Amino acid sequence: SQTIHQWPATLVQPVGSPLSLECTVEGTSNPNLYWYRQAAGRGLQLLFYSVGIGQISSEVPQNLSASRPQDRQFILSSKKLLLSDSGFYLCAWSVLSEAFFGQGTRLTVV
Amino acid sequence: QKEVEQNSGPLSVPEGAIASLNCTYSDRGSQSFFWYRQYSGKSPELIMFIYSNGDKEDGRFTAQLNKASQYVSLLIRDSQPSDSATYLCAVTSGNTPLVFGKGTRLSVIA
């Protein structure tokens, strides 16, 4: 069966510090991978998605970036965090239409 | 811009009643429709999907789709306190990322 691992679960980072969130999927090949963000009281905002290694589509211009160095690995990064980057970050995978989410990372930028 | 609209709630229903959650979408090319349940502080969990007009039943859950009206709903029969959560509607037009509504918060009162 397929599983998705996302870490860390919680993170507190100062403004201006770098960020790296990692997500890996097991039990499937060539999945579509996604990074969503959910701010307090708001819906799920698609940040990046990838249909293959090295193929990244950005949905929202911001100071975040994503990379897919391996088929089942997806990384979200920032060089300098802003207060507005706080939120609940969710990695997800899909093969068909439906998406399955990791446990999420709650990021607080202070 | 593709949009998915949901009443934010909270929707309060007594235990044992039917909860009715509604969703409208703007993209007439949408083909696949999903309902996710999200408990507070947790990641979304897929509970239902529907692709064709009409009803689809799975246990206490029934999804209803009307493409002509661009409307999808979720009925929860015999609501239980454990059903208290935020329910997210998601839509895709094919091999594109899911677009999510902001969710409806459901509260089942014992």
Side-chain angles (χ1 to χ4, degrees):
Chain A
S1 63
Q2 301 88 355
T3 56
I4 179 169
H5 303 280
Q6 184 183 345
W7 66 91
T10 59
L11 193 58
V12 179
Q13 293 283 99
V15 169
S17 64
L19 173 73
S20 180
L21 302 179
E22 188 168 342
C23 169
T24 60
V25 180
E26 296 178 357
T28 186
S29 296
N30 197 30
N32 295 328
L33 296 173
Y34 311 88
W35 280 109
Y36 285 89
R37 178 173 62 198
Q38 189 174 40
R42 302 184 67 179
L44 281 167
Q45 178 188 32
L46 178 65
L47 301 176
F48 301 94
Y49 71 96
S50 171
V51 299
I53 295 174
Q55 301 178 63
I56 309 294
S57 296
S58 174
E59 291 294 305
V60 182
Q62 56 208 335
N63 68 322
L64 299 173
S65 62
S67 62
R68 185 171 178 173
Q70 300 180 41
D71 181 44
R72 290 171 287 180
Q73 184 185 29
F74 206 22
I75 297 172
L76 180 70
S77 303
S78 174
K79 293 182 179 179
K80 288 185 178 182
L81 285 168
L82 307 172
L83 286 175
S84 58
D85 291 324
S86 293
F88 192 37
Y89 287 80
L90 291 154
C91 180
W93 71 272
S94 73
V95 174
L96 300 175
S97 296
E98 63 266 33
F100 299 95
F101 289 87
Q103 67 170 358
T105 296
R106 188 159 305 280
L107 171 66
T108 303
V109 183
V110 296
Chain B
Q1 185 173 357
K2 300 174 184 177
E3 295 182 343
V4 178
E5 300 287 340
Q6 294 182 255
N7 189 320
S8 63
L11 173 66
S12 295
V13 299
E15 183 176 359
I18 296 175
S20 178
L21 304 162
N22 305 315
C23 170
T24 59
Y25 57 94
S26 64
D27 182 7
R28 283 198 170 274
S30 299
Q31 298 177 2
S32 305
F33 307 85
F34 305 88
W35 284 99
Y36 287 79
R37 177 177 61 200
Q38 186 176 23
Y39 291 114
S40 180
K42 303 296 185 182
S43 60
E45 171 193 16
L46 179 66
I47 55 172
M48 286 286 289
F49 60 89
I50 186 167
Y51 302 141
S52 304
N53 277 329
D55 295 359
K56 179 182 178 182
E57 186 175 320
D58 183 2
R60 295 187 297 113
F61 299 99
T62 298
Q64 300 175 315
L65 175 61
N66 183 326
K67 290 186 178 180
S69 299
Q70 295 175 244
Y71 176 93
V72 59
S73 65
L74 178 70
L75 301 178
I76 306 175
R77 290 181 300 281
D78 189 23
S79 295
Q80 300 297 309
S82 58
D83 295 325
S84 297
T86 296
Y87 289 81
L88 304 171
C89 175
V91 174
T92 179
S93 56
N95 193 23
T96 56
L98 292 175
V99 177
F100 285 84
K102 293 184 178 180
T104 297
R105 188 156 55 94
L106 172 66
S107 178
V108 181
I109 303 169

